């Protein structure tokens, strides 16, 4: 099993953090009387700017969840299709070569789902197997790679594509002035990424990217309120506990060590870390808990600063950055990981 390629698609509407902060201040000026706190929360996110699904002036028109979700359906098809085609082009494959399409998101809903809508749009085979997955949140990029790997392990002559689309800006709750929502308003951005995963018998993609050695899912019982959504008539209201960094620091090292030990490895054998950028405190907790060397998470930090946290899409963009600009030495091992609602983690062991 091998990752053949990664493709990305970011909406064209990019705004620096100062512009976004000013827009939120205007929106909340008549209700929120502590603008200094809003600015402090945004600055602490260490995000320089973000892509938005829509031009910034159009967000005031999203007065209902239905309008926001309609925008999500439209833009998700646009950026999702672009990401899939980019990934297939890099792998030297055509849309008709795709045997299975896994689609992950947590920022919108549609039936038929986005993967179904892309069949006609991209010219995918009418026999493609579709697996839409909703609700895994930030962990879904890593989990999606793991599920695609499960598929091509069973069908080694086939091609699976994972598509992640997250349009977090369309979930913003304008009436929610809670600290979690204020943090989210300064942290999350929009975009899509696709990963082509091929079975062992697809010789034409044999040298493209890292081999998927193994995967592991870990669930933490009794942690449902650490992260997620409360869903109401206004849409998705964020649940974001201050415990996320603690969970990462306390549990991730033991989970990683146990996973690696099953394959005769230790953390010292890992040459590259492809980690989801949950936020500055989460990254610091990962760095500390895993005792990673200086610079191990530089690619992740850089992605957070440039475009923010894109939920499940982010770890796939960091994987692309690693493939294109920071490829580890051949034969070295890498770890791709993410954490998300459940609360849970997903670990993917790679060999470059």
């Amino acid at each position: 099993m091998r990752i053949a390629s990664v493709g990305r698609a970011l909406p064209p509407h990019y705004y620096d953090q100062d512009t976004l902060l000013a827009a939120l201040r205007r929106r909340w000026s008549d209700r929120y009387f502590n603008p200094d706190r809003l600015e402090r929360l945004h600055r602490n996110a260490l995000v320089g700017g973000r892509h938005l699904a829509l031009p910034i002036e159009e967000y005031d028109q999203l007065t209902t969840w239905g309008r926001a979700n309609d925008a999500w359906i439209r833009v998700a098809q646009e950026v999702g299709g672009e990401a899939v085609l980019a990934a297939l082009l890099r792998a030297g494959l055509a849309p008709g070569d795709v045997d299975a399409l896994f689609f992950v998101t947590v920022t919108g809903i549609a039936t038929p789902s986005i993967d179904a809508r892309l069949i006609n749009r991209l010219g995918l085979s009418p026999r493609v197997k579709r697996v839409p997955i909703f609700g895994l949140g930030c962990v879904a990029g890593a989990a999606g790679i793991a599920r695609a790997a499960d598929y091509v392990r069973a069908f080694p002559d086939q091609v699976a594509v994972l598509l992640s689309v997250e349009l977090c800006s369309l979930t913003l709750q304008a009436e929610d002035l809670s600290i979690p929502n204020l943090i989210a308003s300064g942290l999350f951005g929009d975009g899509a990424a696709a990963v082509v995963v091929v079975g062992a018998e697809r010789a034409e993609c044999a040298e493209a990217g890292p081999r998927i050695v193994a995967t592991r899912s870990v669930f933490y019982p009794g942690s449902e309120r650490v992260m997620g959504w409360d869903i109401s008539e206004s849409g998705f209201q964020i649940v974001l506990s201050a415990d996320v960094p603690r969970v990462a620091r306390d549990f991730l090292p033991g989970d990683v060590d146990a996973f690696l030990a099953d394959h005769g490895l230790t953390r010292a054998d890992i040459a590259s870390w492809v980690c989801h950028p949950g936020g500055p405190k989460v990254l610091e907790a990962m760095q500390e808990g895993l005792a990673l060397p200086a610079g191990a998470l530089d690619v992740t930090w850089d992605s957070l600063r440039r475009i923010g946290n894109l939920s499940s899409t982010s770890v796939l963009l960091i994987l692309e950055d690693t493939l294109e600009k920071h490829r580890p030495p051949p034969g070295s091992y890498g770890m791709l990981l993410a954490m998300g609602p459940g609360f849970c983690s997903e670990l993917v062991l790679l060999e470059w």
Side-chain angles (χ1 to χ4, degrees):
M1 304 172 295
R2 190 171 294 275
I3 293 171
S5 65
V6 183
R8 72 168 62 198
L10 302 173
H13 319 294
Y14 181 84
Y15 301 93
D16 62 39
Q17 198 77 334
D18 289 338
T19 301
L20 295 170
L21 177 59
L24 289 168
R25 277 184 160 180
R26 287 193 297 271
R27 169 171 280 202
W28 286 327
S29 61
D30 61 339
R31 299 183 58 243
Y32 191 63
F33 301 102
N34 193 349
D36 290 341
R37 172 179 283 181
L38 178 63
E39 180 168 357
R40 185 170 65 253
L41 291 171
H42 275 234
R43 301 299 180 207
N44 289 344
L46 301 183
V47 175
R50 287 166 286 160
H51 294 264
L52 300 186
L54 305 175
I56 197 168
E57 62 273 12
E58 293 186 15
Y59 282 81
D60 288 338
Q61 301 170 26
L62 303 180
T63 54
T64 66
W65 183 16
R67 289 184 178 181
N69 199 70
D70 284 346
W72 180 87
I73 292 172
R74 175 175 58 81
V75 179
Q77 292 178 79
E78 294 170 358
V79 295
E82 183 181 341
V84 170
L85 292 178
L88 290 173
L89 180 64
R90 283 182 170 176
L93 297 169
D97 294 323
V98 178
D99 299 292
L101 176 58
F102 294 77
F103 174 65
V104 297
T105 191
V106 75
T107 53
I109 56 174
T111 303
S113 50
I114 298 301
D115 46 288
R117 296 168 191 244
L118 290 178
I119 291 179
N120 289 329
R121 189 182 186 104
L122 303 184
L124 298 173
S125 168
R127 292 179 295 278
V128 68
K129 304 174 188 70
R130 298 185 296 109
V131 186
I133 303 172
F134 175 87
L136 288 177
C138 296
V139 80
I145 288 177
R147 301 294 77 79
D150 291 341
Y151 178 85
V152 298
R153 181 184 292 112
F155 302 98
D157 62 338
Q158 295 194 11
V159 173
V161 171
L162 164 67
L163 171 62
S164 163
V165 177
E166 302 290 12
L167 305 178
C168 304
S169 70
L170 297 175
T171 70
L172 180 68
Q173 297 293 296
E175 303 303 313
D176 179 9
L177 297 179
S178 66
I179 294 299
N181 193 52
L182 297 181
I183 292 172
S185 74
L187 179 63
F188 291 99
D190 299 347
V195 179
V196 177
V197 179
V198 297
E201 296 177 12
R202 299 294 298 214
E204 74 272 26
C205 300
E207 303 301 325
R211 183 172 69 93
I212 301 172
V213 178
T215 69
R216 176 162 295 178
S217 303
V218 183
F219 185 85
Y220 306 116
S223 60
E224 289 93 340
R225 296 299 293 177
V226 171
M227 180 183 289
W229 294 130
D230 283 333
I231 301 176
S232 71
E233 64 280 355
S234 65
F236 301 118
Q237 182 175 13
I238 193 165
V239 175
L240 184 62
S241 167
D243 287 336
V244 175
R246 179 189 61 79
V247 173
R249 183 183 297 107
D250 292 352
F251 292 100
L252 203 52
D255 296 332
V256 168
D257 288 346
F259 179 44
L260 291 175
D262 286 348
H263 299 277
L265 301 171
T266 69
R267 280 182 246 166
D269 296 306
I270 302 301
S272 66
W273 295 84
V274 178
C275 299
H276 170 73
K281 290 184 178 179
V282 176
L283 286 180
E284 289 167 359
M286 281 187 180
Q287 182 100 28
E288 177 185 338
L290 292 168
L292 298 181
L297 298 181
D298 279 358
V299 181
T300 296
W301 278 107
D302 178 65
S303 183
L304 178 68
R305 292 188 184 100
R306 287 187 291 107
I307 56 176
N309 179 343
L310 278 65
S311 190
S312 68
T313 302
S314 274
V315 75
L316 307 182
L317 299 178
I318 293 162
L319 173 62
E320 184 200 31
D321 288 340
T322 303
L323 272 165
E324 297 299 315
K325 304 172 187 175
H326 306 276
R327 186 183 287 256
S332 63
Y333 288 99
M335 178 69 70
L336 184 148
L337 63 87
M339 307 183 81
F343 198 65
C344 62
S345 60
E346 195 80 25
L347 313 176
V348 181
L349 179 61
L350 305 172
E351 183 182 11
W352 292 90

